[in-house]
Each structure stands twice: as C-alpha cells, then as structure tokens.
Amino acid sequence: MNYEFIARTLNLKHPVPTPFDLIEIARMGIPKKSINSLAECLHIPISELIQYLHVSERTLQRYSPDKLLSSAISDHLLQIAKVYSRSLEVFEDAEDASMWLKQVNISLGNVPPMDLVDTISGIEMVLDELTRIEYGVFA
C-alpha cells in the first residue's frame, strides 16, 4: 500500500511513509478541504462522499476549509482514501478504478463497492475483494 499516495489523494502536506503516520494524522485530524480532494479523485459529488462519513452536510458547511475534522471522521476519510488507493493499484488506471468502485459487484452482494464504504466492515470487504481480483481469485 502506498501511504504517500493516500496522503496526496487527500491533499495532505505531511509525509506518510508508514501506516503509523496515518494513525497519527487521523488522531490529529484532517482538514475539511481533504473531503473535496477525495471526492474529486473518486469522481463523485461531495454530498455523496459526506453521506459515507456520517456527518451532516450542514455541519461541514460551518467549517472553514482548514478546520480539522474529528479523529473519527478523519480516520474514516483515510479508510475511504485507502480503498481508492488500493483500487488504483489493482486496476492501474484511475478511470477503471473509479468505474469499478461504482459498478454493481456480485461478490459484494450485488451492490457497488462505494455503497459499502460507510462502515469499516464494508471497507474491509471491499479491500478483500480487491486482493482477490489482484490474485485472480474469483468468488
């Protein structure tokens, strides 16, 4: 997993050479503007991404772009960025990765992978499916 890519996806300025750095960043909080960066990478509206984060759009509208999100929201945003990063590693093309995340997937209960990123368990399922695809194991 490329942790630096995850940081770039969220437009973070911190170096992120290890997963421990991701933990520290989540604890400190990620700036609100990172939501915009990730939504742009995923090719989805910000309002859709916000639904996966379990925070109201109205609450986030009150935040300045540089305001740090709570550690829970920051961690969840990092996990979704990890899903995007992993899909890009597997498909080796941003458009293919984005398309796969939005298409119905039989192995994931006939729902698009993005519909599962609202929970950590769902994120784990999507990451597991990406690993199966990478190694040619079809469920």
Side-chain angles (χ1 to χ4, degrees):
M1 175 106 8
N2 186 334
Y3 302 107
E4 287 293 335
F5 180 77
I6 294 169
R8 283 194 309 273
T9 300
L10 294 169
N11 200 22
L12 300 176
K13 305 301 180 213
H14 310 287
V16 186
T18 72
F20 294 106
D21 297 307
L22 287 179
I23 293 168
E24 190 57 35
I25 288 170
R27 286 177 177 159
M28 291 184 326
I30 293 175
K32 176 197 165 206
K33 63 185 172 188
S34 293
I35 294 172
N36 299 351
S37 299
L38 183 56
E40 193 174 300
C41 289
L42 291 167
H43 303 290
I44 61 172
I46 293 168
S47 58
E48 184 178 336
L49 180 57
I50 289 170
Q51 290 175 357
Y52 303 132
L53 298 173
H54 305 290
V55 63
S56 75
E57 194 166 352
R58 181 72 182 121
T59 297
L60 289 177
Q61 286 173 349
R62 290 189 288 253
Y63 289 13
S64 69
D66 291 320
K67 178 164 174 61
L68 298 179
L69 301 169
S70 71
S71 60
I73 295 171
S74 296
D75 187 49
H76 202 116
L77 197 61
L78 280 168
Q79 296 306 312
I80 296 170
K82 188 187 293 185
V83 166
Y84 173 70
S85 174
R86 187 73 176 105
S87 67
L88 197 53
E89 285 177 1
V90 171
F91 293 103
E92 299 177 349
D93 178 80
E95 193 170 314
D96 289 346
S98 179
M99 190 170 26
W100 181 83
L101 288 167
K102 296 174 192 171
Q103 288 181 339
V104 171
N105 187 302
I106 295 168
S107 298
L108 294 172
N110 288 320
V111 298
M114 282 304 295
D115 284 1
L116 299 173
V117 300
D118 63 327
T119 66
I120 298 304
S121 296
I123 288 170
E124 289 173 2
M125 288 174 65
V126 172
L127 291 172
D128 288 346
E129 181 63 17
L130 285 165
T131 299
R132 284 192 289 276
I133 291 169
E134 181 179 36
Y135 289 101
V137 178
F138 299 100

